RNA sequence: GCGAGGAUAGCCAAGUGGUCAACGGCGCCCGACUCAAGAUCGGGUCCUUAGUGGUUCGCGGGUUCGACUCCCUCUCCUCGCACCA
C-alpha cells in the first residue's frame, strides 16, 4: 500500500460519509448520546484538539457498531471577548498576532484583512474546524451545528436565565474585581502583563479622628486596635485632604484614587505634608489618643498610606519603635499586649524579633517573621479576658463587624504587594463592580443537590470524583454577567451580557433539536415554547409555533436526553463540568440529568507543553495531510488513555503509520489463503479472547488498552500462527474469518483503512454500521491453547539455552517430560490451602514417602513454579489433562525446523540422564548436546 | 500556599501483595531479503548464567514469610485555585 492510496481512499470516504451520521429518532433503537465540550474557534486546530474529538468519536463508532443509535453533535462557542481582542490587535497591526494568524495558522491575506471584524474570525475558523474534523473521520451529525450567537440559541439562553432568575439563583451583588481603567473593563489573570499571582486583600479601615478629619489606617488585624500605641506616617509623602462620601479624610493620593473605584465619591480638597502630621494626636474609641510617628517604610501605594502601630504583636512596628527609641525619641511609648499565644511571652513581636536576631527593619527576614507571628496568633492566639477572651480567629471578625457598625470603619480592597499591569500597559486596580449578576453556586441547598446528583454520575476515570466533590464545596458565587464581548443579553437586565461559561451549561439539550430549532424564526421561540419542549410545561396548543412542531421537538428532545457521556479536558472540572451539573439540576427533572463524564488529559508536543501563543503546536490539518487521518487517530487514542497526557512525537507517529500499513498488507495477503491447518483452531480460540478484551477495554473508554488487544494482540497471535504453519504454507482459510473480525475490531480506530479493507474483502456498505464482533465461547478451546502455551514456553527456554551455549557443537535437543507422579504433586499443591507448607501434606502419602528426597525436592520446585505461573494457567493445567509427550511428539517437525537440530522426546522416568530428573509439569527438562 | 493527580529500565508506558527482570511500543544491535539503501520479516536489548542467580520500579524508613503493589517522611512533576476560554 503506497502513501498515495491511503490518502486517496481517505478523501473518497470523507466525501461519502458527509451525511452518513445524521441521526434521527428511531423507534425501538437503543440510543446513545455522546457529546464533547465545543471549541472556541479563534485559531487553527492542532493535534491536541484532535484527540479531544477523536477519542469520543472512537467511542461513538464502537457503540454504533454495537447496534446503539448514536448521536454525536458539534457546535461552536463564540461567546466572550477573546476574538474582540484579537481583531483589535490585528487592526492595530500587532506583529505577534499577525504572525500567528498569517504564518502559523496560514490564514490567506484577504481573509486576514477581514479579521478586524471579530465575527469574521470565528466564522472562518468554525468552517475550518468542520472541514478538519470531517477529514479526521469524525462521525458527527453536522445538521445540528450552530454557534452560541445564533438568535435561536440566544432565545434558549434567555429562557434558561428567566428560570434561574425566577428561582432566585441569579442575584445582583457587588464584588471586587481586577479592573483596568484604560480598557474600562474587568481583567482576568490571562489579560495581565504582570502580577498574575496578585491577590485581592480585604483591609478594614480603622478610623482615627484628628480634629474635623478622619484618618484611616488600613489593617488586616482589626482585633489589635486596642494595642495601638501610635500611627505611622511617611514624612516624605504629600497626603491628600479629600471629601469622601461627604466626610473629611486624610489619606495618600494613591489611596484616594483606589477608593474612588470602590464605590466611594472622592472629592479632592487640598494637601497636607506627611511631616505636618508627625507628633499630632489621633483618637480612636478603642485605644484613645495616640501620637503620629514618622516612618519612611510606610508605602503610600499600599492601602491608605497610613498605618496603625501595634508593637506588641507586629514585629515591624516593634522594630520601628525600638529604632526610634534608640535615638532617644518617644521613650514614653510602651507596647500594649492583648493576645496570648502559646510559645510566646507577653509581647510576641518582641520575642520573635529577639529570637531571630534580626537587627533592623530592612532585614529581608522581616516578611517571614511577620508571617510567623501573624499565623501563630491567628491559629492559636487568644484575646485577653478584658478584650473578650475569644480566639483570635473569631474575635477578628467580630471586631471588624463591631468597628464597621459603631466606629465608622469601612472595607478597602487592594492587591498584596504586587504591581499589576494589564496587557494594554495600564495599571490595574481593584474595583467594586456593582449591579453585577451572580449565579448562587454558594447556595448550600443547591450544592447538596449536586453532591447527591454526582453520586449518580459515572465518572471516567473514577479518580476525578474527589476533585468534583472538592469543586462543589469550594464554589462561590459566579459572576455571570459581562459588559463586553459577544453573547446574549440577560433577559431581565439588558445592560448585561451572559458570561461565556454561563451560557454553555445546558446546550447539550439544545443539540437534540438544534437542526429543527434553526428552522424556526427566533421571535417565535418564546419561553412558553421552550417550557413545553424542555420541561413539558403548559400545552402545545396556542404556542407561536404549530402544535405538531412543538410536539415533535418535545419528542425528539426526550428521545435523546439525558446525554450518556460528556467528554472534556480535566481543566474544566473546576468550572464548566461542575457548572453544568448545577444548571441541569435547576432546569431538568431527575430522569434527564447527565449520566456520565469522561475527563481528558493534556497534550504535549515532543515533550513540551503545547501552546498556540508560543507557536509550539502541530496543526491537525498538517498531520492529517502528511500522515493520514487513520494514523493521527490511532496515535492519538493509542499512545495513552484519554485521561492521561499524551506526547505527540513525530518518530512514534511515523511508526504508527507503518503499523497501519502492516495491518493492511497482512489482511490483503491473508485474503487469498485457503485450506486448513492444525494451528487454525488455536488462532480462532485466541481471537475470542482478543475480542473480549477489546470490548471490555472500550466499555471503560480505555482506547489504548483496546488497541493493544485489537491490534498488537492479534498481530502477535498471527506471528506465532505463521511460525507454526507447515513448511511452505503461508496461511489457511481461517485467515478470512480472522480478517473479518480484525477489520471490524479496528474500524472505530482507523475507519478509513478498515472501510477500504471491508470492501476489499467483499463487503459493502459503511463499516461504521457493520456488526461489532463478539466473542464466541464455543470457539474457545482450552486444551489446544494449553498445549500451545506449553510449546511457546518450551521454545522460549530452548532459545535461552541455545543463546548461552556454543551452538556449533550442538546436534540434538532432548525434551524430558515430567512423570505422572509429579503431575499429582502439582495438583495437590495447586489445591492446597497453604501452598507454602505442603511438605507435610505430601509426605502423608506412602508412595511419596518412599521417594524420599526426590519427592521433597520436587515439592519445593513445583511450589516455586506454581507461584511463578499465572494463576489462570495453573488452573487450566490442573483442570485439563494434557499429555506433554503427545504435544511435543506432534511438534517435533516444527521444533526440528525451527532449530535445525534433531529433537527427541523422552519420558523422564525412562531415562537415567541426570538432567531428566529436573523435569517438572509444564516445564520439561531440556538437554542440548 | 491550598486542592487533585502523578514519579517504573535509553525514551514512552503496562502493572495494584507472590503471575515481575517486569506486557507493548519507540530507539538501538544482530540476522534474512536486496547490487545497495529504505521498507518488510525474524531475533536480541540491567549484570551474570545451560533455562540459574544477583541488583532494580523518585529518596529514606516501616508492615509482611514475601512489596513496583500497603503505611509514614521527604524531593520533584502536571492540572486547578475563578469572573477566563
Amino acid at each position: 500500500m503506497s502513501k498515495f492510496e491511503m490518502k486517496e481512499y481517505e478523501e473518497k470516504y470523507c466525501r461519502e460519509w458527509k451525511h452518513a451520521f445524521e441521526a434521527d429518532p428511531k423507534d425501538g433503537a437503543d440510543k446513545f448520546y455522546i457529546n464533547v465540550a465545543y471549541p472556541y474557534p479563534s485559531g487553527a486546530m492542532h493535534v491536541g484538539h484532535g484527540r479531544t474529538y477523536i477519542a469520543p468519536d472512537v467511542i461513538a463508532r464502537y457503540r454504533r457498531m454495537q447496534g446503539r443509535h448514536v448521536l454525536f453533535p458539534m457546535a461552536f462557542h463564540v461567546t466572550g471577548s477573546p476574538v474582540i481582542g484579537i481583531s483589535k490587535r490585528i487592526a492595530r497591526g500587532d506583529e505577534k498576532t499577525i504572525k500567528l494568524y498569517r504564518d502559523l495558522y496560514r490564514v490567506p491575506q484577504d481573509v486576514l484583512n477581514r479579521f478586524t471584524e471579530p465575527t469574521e474570525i470565528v466564522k472562518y475558523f468554525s468552517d475550518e474546524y468542520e472541514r478538519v474534523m470531517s477529514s479526521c473521520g469524525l462521525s458527527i451529525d453536522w445538521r445540528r451545528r450552530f454557534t452560541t450567537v445564533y438568535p435561536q440559541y440566544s432565545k434558549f439562553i434567555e429562557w434558561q436565565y428567566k428560570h434561574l432568575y425566577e428561582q432566585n439563583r441569579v442575584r445582583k451583588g457587588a464584588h471586587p474585581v481586577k479592573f483596568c481603567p484604560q480598557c474600562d473593563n474587568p481583567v482576568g489573570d490571562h489579560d495581565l502583563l504582570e502580577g498574575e499571582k496578585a491577590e485581592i486583600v480585604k483591609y478594614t479601615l480603622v478610623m482615627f479622628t484628628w480634629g474635623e478629619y478622619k484618618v484611616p489606617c488600613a489593617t488586616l488585624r482589626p482585633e489589635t486596635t486596642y494595642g495601638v500605641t501610635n500611627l505611622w506616617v511617611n514624612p516624605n509623602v504629600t497626603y491628600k485632604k479629600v471629601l469622601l462620601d461627604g466626610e473629611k479624610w486624610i489619606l495618600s493620593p494613591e489611596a484616594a484614587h483606589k477608593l474612588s473605584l470602590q464605590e466611594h465619591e472622592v472629592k479632592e480638597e487640598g494637601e497636607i505634608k506627611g511631616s505636618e502630621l508627625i507628633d499630632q494626636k489621633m483618637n480612636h474609641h478603642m485605644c484613645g489618643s495616640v501620637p503620629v510617628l514618622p516612618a519612611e517604610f510606610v508605602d503610600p501605594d499600599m492601602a491608605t498610606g497610613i498605618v496603625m502601630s501595634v508593637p506588641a504583636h507586629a514585629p515591624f512596628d516593634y522594630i520601628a519603635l525600638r529604632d526610634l527609641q534608640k535615638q532617644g525619641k518617644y521613650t514614653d511609648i510602651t507596647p500594649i499586649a492583648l493576645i496570648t499565644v502559646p510559645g510566646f511571652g507577653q509581647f510576641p513581636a518582641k520575642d520573635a524579633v529577639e529570637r531571630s536576631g534580626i537587627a533592623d527593619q530592612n532585614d529581608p527576614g522581616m516578611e517571614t517573621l511577620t508571617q510567623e507571628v501573624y499565623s501563630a496568633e491567628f491559629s492559636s492566639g487568644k484575646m485577653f479576658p478584658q478584650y473578650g477572651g475569644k480566639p483570635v480567629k473569631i474575635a477578628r471578625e467580630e471586631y471588624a463587624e463591631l468597628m464597621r457598625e459603631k466606629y465608622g470603619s469601612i472595607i478597602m480592597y487592594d492587591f498584596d504587594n504586587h504591581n499589576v499591569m494589564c496587557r494594554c500597559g495600564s495599571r490595574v486596580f481593584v474595583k467594586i463592580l456593582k449591579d453585577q449578576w451572580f449565579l448562587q453556586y454558594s447556595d448550600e441547598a443547591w450544592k447538596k443537590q449536586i453532591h447527591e446528583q454526582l453520586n449518580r454520575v459515572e465518572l471516567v476515570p473514577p479518580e476525578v470524583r474527589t476533585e468534583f466533590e472538592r469543586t462543589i464545596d469550594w464554589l462561590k458565587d459566579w459572576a455571570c454577567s459581562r459588559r463586553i464581548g459577544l453573547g446574549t443579553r440577560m433577559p431581565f437586565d439588558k445592560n448585561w451580557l451572559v458570561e461565556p461559561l454561563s451560557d454553555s451549561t445546558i446546550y447539550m439539550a439544545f443539540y437534540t433539536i438544534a437542526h429543527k430549532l434553526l428552522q424556526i424564526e427566533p421571535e417565535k421561540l418564546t419561553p412558553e415554547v421552550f417550557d413545553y419542549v424542555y420541561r413539558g410545561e403548559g400545552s402545545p396548543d396556542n404556542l407561536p409555533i404549530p402544535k405538531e412542531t412543538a410536539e415533535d421537538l418535545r419528542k425528539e428532545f426526550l428521545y435523546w436526553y439525558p446525554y450518556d457521556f460528556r467528554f472534556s479536558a480535566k481543566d474544566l472540572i473546576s468550572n464548566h463540568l461542575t457548572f453544568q451539573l448545577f444548571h441541569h439540576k435547576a432546569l431538568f427533572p431527575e430522569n434527564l440529568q447527565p449520566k456520565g463524564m469522561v475527563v481528558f488529559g493534556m497534550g504535549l508536543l515532543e515533550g513540551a507543553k503545547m501552546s498556540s501563543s508560543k507557536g509550539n503546536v502541530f496543526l491537525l490539518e498538517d498531520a492529517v495531510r502528511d500522515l493520514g487521518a487513520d494514523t493521527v487517530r490511532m496515535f492519538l487514542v493509542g499512545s495513552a488513555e484519554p485521561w492521561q497526557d499524551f506526547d505527540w512525537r513525530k518518530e512514534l507517529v511515523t511508526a504508527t503509520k507503518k503499523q497501519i500499513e502492516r495491518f493492511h498488507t497482512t489482511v490483503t495477503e491473508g485474503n487469498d489463503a485457503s485450506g486448513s491447518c492444525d494451528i487454525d483452531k488455536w488462532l480462532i480460540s485466541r481471537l475470542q479472547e482478543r475480542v473480549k478484551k477489546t470490548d471490555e477495554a472500550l466499555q471503560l473508554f480505555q482506547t489504548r488498552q483496546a488497541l493493544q488487544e485489537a491490534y498488537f494482540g492479534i498481530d502477535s497471535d498471527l506471528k506465532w500462527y505463521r511460525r507454526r504453519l507447515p513448511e511452505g504454507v503461508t496461511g489457511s482459510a481461517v485467515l478470512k474469518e480472522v480478517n473479518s473480525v480484525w477489520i471490524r475490531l479496528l474500524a472505530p480506530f482507523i475507519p478509513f483503512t478498515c472501510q477500504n479493507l471491508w470492501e476489499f474483502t467483499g463487503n459493502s456498505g459503511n463499516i461504521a454500521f457493520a456488526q461489532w464482533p463478539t466473542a464466541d465461547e464455543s470457539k474457545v478451546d482450552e486444551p489446544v491453547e494449553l498445549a500451545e502455551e506449553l510449546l511457546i514456553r518450551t521454545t522460549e527456554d530452548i532459545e535461552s539455552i541455545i543463546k548461552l551455549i556454543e551452538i556449533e557443537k550442538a546436534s540434538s535437543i532432548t525434551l524430558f517430560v515430567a512423570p505422572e507422579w509429579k503431575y499429582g504433586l502439582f495438583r495437590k499443591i495447586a489445591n492446597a490451602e497453604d501452598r507454602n507448607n505442603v511438605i507435610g501434606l505430601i509426605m502423608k502419602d506412602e508412595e511419596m514417602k518412599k521417594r524420599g528426597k526426590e519427592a521433597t525436592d520436587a515439592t519445593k520446585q513445583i511450589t516455586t513454579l506454581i507461584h511463578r505461573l499465572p494463576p489462570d494457567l495453573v488452573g487450566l493445567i490442573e483442570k485439563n489433562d494434557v499429555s506433554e509427550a503427545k504435544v511435543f511428539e506432534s511438534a517435533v517437525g516444527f521444533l526440528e525446523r525451527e532449530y535445525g537440530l534433531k529433537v527427541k522426546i523422552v519420558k523422564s522416568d525412562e531415562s537415567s540422564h541426570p538432567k531428566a530428573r529436573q523435569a517438572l509439569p509444564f516445564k520439561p527438562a531440556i538437554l542440548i548436546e
Side-chain angles (χ1 to χ4, degrees):
Chain A
M1 178 178 65
S2 73
K3 293 164 192 171
F4 178 69
E5 278 177 60
M6 195 165 172
K7 190 81 223 158
E8 198 173 67
Y9 64 68
E10 282 189 357
E11 276 170 7
K12 180 178 149 221
Y13 294 138
C14 212
R15 286 192 300 274
E16 289 181 10
W17 292 346
K18 198 165 177 8
H19 299 289
F21 304 104
E22 294 175 356
D24 293 313
K26 203 158 71 183
D27 282 338
D30 188 9
K31 70 92 188 175
F32 187 79
Y33 176 19
I34 192 171
N35 58 67
V36 198
Y38 48 25
Y40 184 80
S42 64
M45 278 183 98
H46 57 66
V47 292
H49 297 118
R51 195 199 30 186
T52 308
Y53 303 103
I54 288 166
D57 183 65
V58 170
I59 300 302
R61 284 174 174 275
Y62 157 65
R63 293 296 184 185
R64 206 177 273 123
M65 288 178 75
Q66 272 191 328
R68 304 291 294 271
H69 192 43
V70 174
L71 173 62
F72 181 23
M74 188 60 61
F76 298 101
H77 190 215
V78 305
T79 342
S81 51
V83 284
I84 292 175
I86 293 165
S87 69
K88 266 190 195 154
R89 268 174 268 151
I90 287 175
R92 198 199 310 144
D94 180 81
E95 268 307 310
K96 215 179 131 203
T97 309
I98 290 174
K99 241 182 113 167
L100 179 68
Y101 281 79
R102 191 188 52 208
D103 301 341
L104 187 65
Y105 296 162
R106 294 197 299 271
V107 177
Q109 190 58 51
D110 58 316
V111 177
L112 192 61
N113 293 340
R114 294 203 303 269
F115 275 11
T116 48
E117 170 56 45
T119 52
E120 287 292 325
I121 302 176
V122 287
K123 215 169 101 194
Y124 175 80
F125 284 112
S126 41
D127 284 343
E128 174 164 311
Y129 261 69
E130 176 172 345
R131 205 183 70 239
V132 177
M133 283 176 166
S134 297
S135 76
C136 288
L138 301 190
S139 56
I140 291 168
D141 179 350
W142 284 108
R143 294 173 306 165
R144 296 163 193 268
R145 166 183 162 173
F146 62 89
T147 81
T148 50
V149 292
Y150 278 17
Q152 289 90 348
Y153 188 77
S154 284
K155 288 290 172 188
F156 173 69
I157 294 301
E158 285 172 16
W159 165 77
Q160 183 194 169
Y161 275 81
K162 172 179 177 279
H163 275 284
L164 293 170
Y165 183 69
E166 284 167 3
Q167 291 175 12
N168 207 16
R169 299 195 190 279
V170 191
R171 287 185 223 161
K172 251 185 194 181
H175 262 236
V177 295
K178 291 175 185 170
F179 186 87
C180 171
Q182 181 151 327
C183 306
D184 193 29
N185 207 50
V187 286
D189 274 353
H190 57 283
D191 293 322
L192 298 178
L193 214 55
E194 211 180 305
E196 281 169 51
K197 277 184 285 178
E199 274 184 59
I200 294 175
V201 179
K202 185 177 169 183
Y203 290 97
T204 299
L205 300 191
V206 181
M207 307 306 290
F208 284 79
T209 51
W210 180 53
E212 53 177 345
Y213 286 100
K214 298 207 162 184
V215 181
C217 294
T219 183
L220 295 170
R221 308 185 54 187
E223 79 282 6
T224 61
T225 309
Y226 285 115
V228 172
T229 56
N230 61 284
L231 303 191
W232 299 112
V233 158
N234 191 326
N236 306 324
V237 168
T238 302
Y239 288 82
K240 293 272 186 219
K241 290 177 172 172
V242 302
L243 204 59
L244 192 139
D245 297 337
E247 293 175 341
K248 288 174 183 287
W249 282 39
I250 291 174
L251 71 179
S252 74
E254 290 87 344
H257 179 236
K258 286 173 188 172
L259 283 169
S260 73
L261 290 169
Q262 295 179 20
E263 292 298 310
H264 295 289
E265 193 197 347
V266 180
K267 225 161 77 193
E268 218 175 285
E269 290 206 312
E271 292 182 340
I272 180 165
K273 290 207 170 97
S275 51
E276 293 176 51
L277 291 166
I278 306 302
D279 294 337
Q280 296 297 310
K281 296 279 186 185
M282 307 288 174
N283 294 288
H284 191 276
H285 176 85
M286 286 159 76
C287 59
S289 176
V290 294
V292 175
L293 271 53
E296 292 186 7
F297 64 79
V298 173
D299 181 357
D301 201 2
M302 185 74 127
T304 56
I306 301 172
V307 184
M308 64 188 206
S309 168
V310 188
H313 298 286
F316 237 106
D317 295 337
Y318 173 78
I319 287 204
L321 182 63
R322 192 183 66 180
D323 288 353
L324 285 173
Q325 290 178 335
K326 272 185 187 159
Q327 298 165 25
K329 299 175 187 164
Y330 307 109
T331 45
D332 55 325
I333 298 178
T334 50
I336 301 167
L338 66 160
I339 295 168
T340 54
V341 202
F344 290 89
Q346 192 189 1
F347 302 111
K350 182 171 177 251
D351 277 12
V353 168
E354 284 168 359
R355 255 188 249 165
S356 67
I358 280 175
D360 68 282
Q361 39 183 290
N362 300 319
D363 193 299
M366 279 305 293
E367 202 57 51
T368 357
L369 201 64
T370 302
Q371 197 55 46
E372 186 197 323
V373 175
Y374 187 104
S375 305
E377 295 191 346
F378 181 71
S379 55
S380 53
K382 254 175 128 174
M383 306 298 291
F384 284 180
Q386 63 267 42
Y387 305 118
K390 291 190 179 167
V392 170
K393 237 179 275 199
I394 295 167
R396 178 168 304 165
E397 216 15 77
E398 287 183 357
Y399 276 119
E401 209 182 313
L402 173 79
M403 290 160 79
R404 283 199 299 272
E405 272 173 19
K406 288 205 166 157
Y407 308 128
S409 282
I410 61 162
I411 299 293
M412 174 179 182
Y413 297 97
D414 203 355
F415 296 120
D416 57 349
N417 293 318
H418 298 79
N419 191 19
V420 187
M421 303 288 282
C422 176
R423 266 191 194 168
C424 75
S426 159
R427 186 161 168 201
V428 171
F429 295 94
V430 181
K431 183 178 165 79
I432 304 283
L433 265 198
K434 223 174 67 177
D435 299 335
Q436 165 78 292
W437 291 95
F438 288 87
L439 279 161
Q440 305 290 307
Y441 294 145
S442 65
D443 177 7
E444 288 303 327
W446 204 1
K447 283 189 183 204
K448 192 160 168 270
Q449 286 186 321
I450 306 311
H451 272 301
E452 283 165 9
Q453 188 56 42
L454 189 67
N455 290 330
R456 296 181 209 116
V457 179
E458 185 177 347
L459 294 177
V460 181
E463 298 86 68
V464 298
R465 188 170 296 274
T466 47
E467 207 174 337
F468 273 101
E469 298 281 5
R470 291 281 180 176
T471 301
I472 296 170
D473 289 337
W474 160 88
L475 272 178
K476 295 184 222 137
D477 294 344
W478 178 265
C480 62
S481 57
R482 280 304 106 83
R483 285 292 188 198
I484 58 165
L486 305 174
T488 303
R489 295 196 175 276
M490 284 286 180
F492 43 81
D493 185 350
K494 301 283 185 191
N495 294 321
W496 292 94
L497 293 157
V498 179
E499 182 271 336
L501 285 183
S502 308
D503 79 354
S504 301
T505 53
I506 55 166
Y507 69 95
M508 310 68 141
F510 192 82
Y511 276 136
T512 60
I513 47 173
H515 54 313
K516 291 175 176 170
L517 290 174
L518 297 181
Q519 304 302 317
I520 300 171
E521 300 94 294
E523 58 276 10
K524 292 190 176 166
L525 294 175
T526 58
E528 291 72 30
V529 170
F530 287 120
D531 277 342
Y532 173 72
V533 172
Y534 284 118
R535 290 162 64 91
E537 289 171 356
S539 144
D541 301 312
N542 307 320
L543 290 174
I545 59 170
K547 182 180 177 180
E548 306 77 60
T549 309
E551 284 173 342
D552 178 55
L553 292 173
R554 172 81 181 149
K555 207 173 145 211
E556 176 148 11
F557 166 64
L558 287 177
Y559 179 80
W560 297 114
Y561 237 59
Y563 70 72
D564 291 271
F565 279 97
R566 175 161 184 77
F567 287 64
S568 176
K570 70 173 164 192
D571 51 352
L572 293 189
I573 293 176
S574 63
N575 47 54
H576 167 73
L577 287 176
T578 304
F579 291 1
Q580 55 124 14
L581 292 177
F582 277 85
H583 289 245
H584 270 88
K585 197 72 205 173
L587 286 144
F588 301 117
E590 178 55 39
N591 62 326
L592 299 180
Q593 298 298 312
K595 285 169 80 176
M597 288 186 256
V598 181
V599 174
F600 285 138
M602 318 297 279
L604 302 177
L605 180 58
E606 303 294 344
K609 202 173 149 182
M610 259 188 251
S611 155
S612 303
S613 56
K614 282 181 197 142
N616 188 44
V617 289
F618 193 63
L619 296 195
L620 186 55
E621 192 173 17
D622 295 348
V624 169
R625 193 194 52 233
D626 296 350
L627 298 143
D630 278 345
T631 307
V632 172
R633 291 175 64 102
M634 181 158 156
F635 179 80
L636 288 174
V637 301
S639 63
E641 300 295 4
W643 43 90
Q644 297 173 322
D645 294 350
F646 75 92
D647 189 359
W648 180 276
R649 283 160 63 201
K650 194 67 193 289
E651 202 176 66
L652 297 181
V653 185
T654 313
T656 305
K657 185 184 163 77
K658 284 180 196 160
Q659 282 155 356
I660 295 174
E661 287 173 357
R662 192 163 78 220
F663 164 64
H664 194 277
T665 311
T666 309
V667 169
T668 316
E669 287 174 0
N671 205 46
D672 301 328
S674 59
S676 69
C677 300
D678 292 346
I679 193 67
D680 290 353
K681 255 188 145 178
W682 174 82
L683 184 62
I684 292 298
S685 182
R686 293 282 288 183
L687 185 62
Q688 309 314 312
E689 184 71 5
R690 301 297 183 189
V691 169
K692 203 172 138 205
K693 290 259 179 68
T694 305
D695 192 71
E696 283 167 359
L698 280 178
Q699 260 178 50
L700 299 171
F701 301 89
Q702 296 169 349
T703 53
R704 178 194 142 87
Q705 182 58 32
L707 258 178
Q708 289 284 327
E709 289 294 334
Y711 179 79
F712 298 102
I714 291 175
D715 191 48
S716 91
D717 288 346
L718 281 168
K719 241 183 224 180
W720 178 254
Y721 168 82
R722 281 191 292 265
R723 204 169 153 191
R724 290 282 281 134
L725 288 171
E727 204 158 10
V729 177
T730 55
S732 68
V734 79
L735 288 178
K736 280 207 176 74
E737 184 179 343
V738 174
N739 279 348
S740 167
V741 171
W742 206 13
I743 294 166
R744 283 176 289 144
L745 222 44
L746 289 176
F749 305 94
I750 48 171
F752 295 103
T753 303
C754 290
Q755 179 72 40
N756 180 262
L757 291 169
W758 186 240
E759 292 170 13
F760 175 80
T761 53
N763 300 285
S764 61
N766 192 336
I767 195 170
F769 297 95
Q771 201 188 21
W772 180 249
T774 47
D776 182 347
E777 294 296 336
S778 72
K779 289 180 177 170
V780 176
D781 192 328
E782 281 184 6
V784 166
E785 285 205 36
L786 197 57
E788 226 38 45
E789 182 69 29
L790 172 63
L791 198 57
I792 289 168
R793 285 174 176 267
T794 306
T795 55
E796 280 166 7
D797 280 352
I798 292 173
E799 277 151 24
S800 51
I801 297 168
I802 287 178
K803 206 181 71 191
L804 294 172
I805 61 170
E806 315 235 326
I807 190 148
E808 55 267 30
K809 279 200 267 173
S811 66
S812 75
I813 301 174
T814 310
L815 296 178
F816 297 103
V817 179
E820 198 42 51
W821 66 268
K822 286 195 184 172
Y823 259 90
L825 275 184
F826 187 98
R827 292 204 172 84
K828 235 177 217 168
I829 297 166
N831 286 316
E833 301 256 321
D834 180 2
R835 286 178 182 171
N836 295 314
N837 297 303
V838 283
I839 296 275
L841 184 76
I842 300 296
M843 286 306 139
K844 278 187 193 144
D845 189 318
E846 280 306 317
E847 197 203 333
M848 291 301 127
K849 230 180 208 169
K850 262 186 263 165
R851 293 188 184 270
K853 186 164 179 348
E854 193 184 17
T856 51
D857 285 352
T859 304
K860 268 185 230 159
Q861 288 164 343
I862 291 170
T863 307
T864 312
L865 180 68
I866 286 175
H867 272 315
R868 292 199 169 173
L869 291 171
D872 308 359
L873 186 57
V874 172
L876 283 178
I877 295 169
E878 191 216 330
K879 215 166 68 191
N880 293 281
D881 199 16
V882 169
S883 160
E884 292 192 28
K886 263 193 204 153
V887 171
F888 290 127
E889 288 296 352
S890 65
V892 165
F894 161 71
L895 292 170
E896 292 192 337
R897 189 154 37 87
E898 282 282 307
Y899 304 110
L901 298 171
K902 188 93 189 102
V903 173
K904 279 182 288 181
I905 314 298
V906 177
K907 291 194 170 159
S908 62
D909 45 5
E910 291 167 10
S911 168
S912 56
H913 196 283
K915 203 74 182 163
R917 304 240 304 269
Q918 289 180 15
L920 294 174
F922 225 68
K923 198 165 181 63
I926 299 163
L927 175 67
I928 299 176
E929 52 190 0

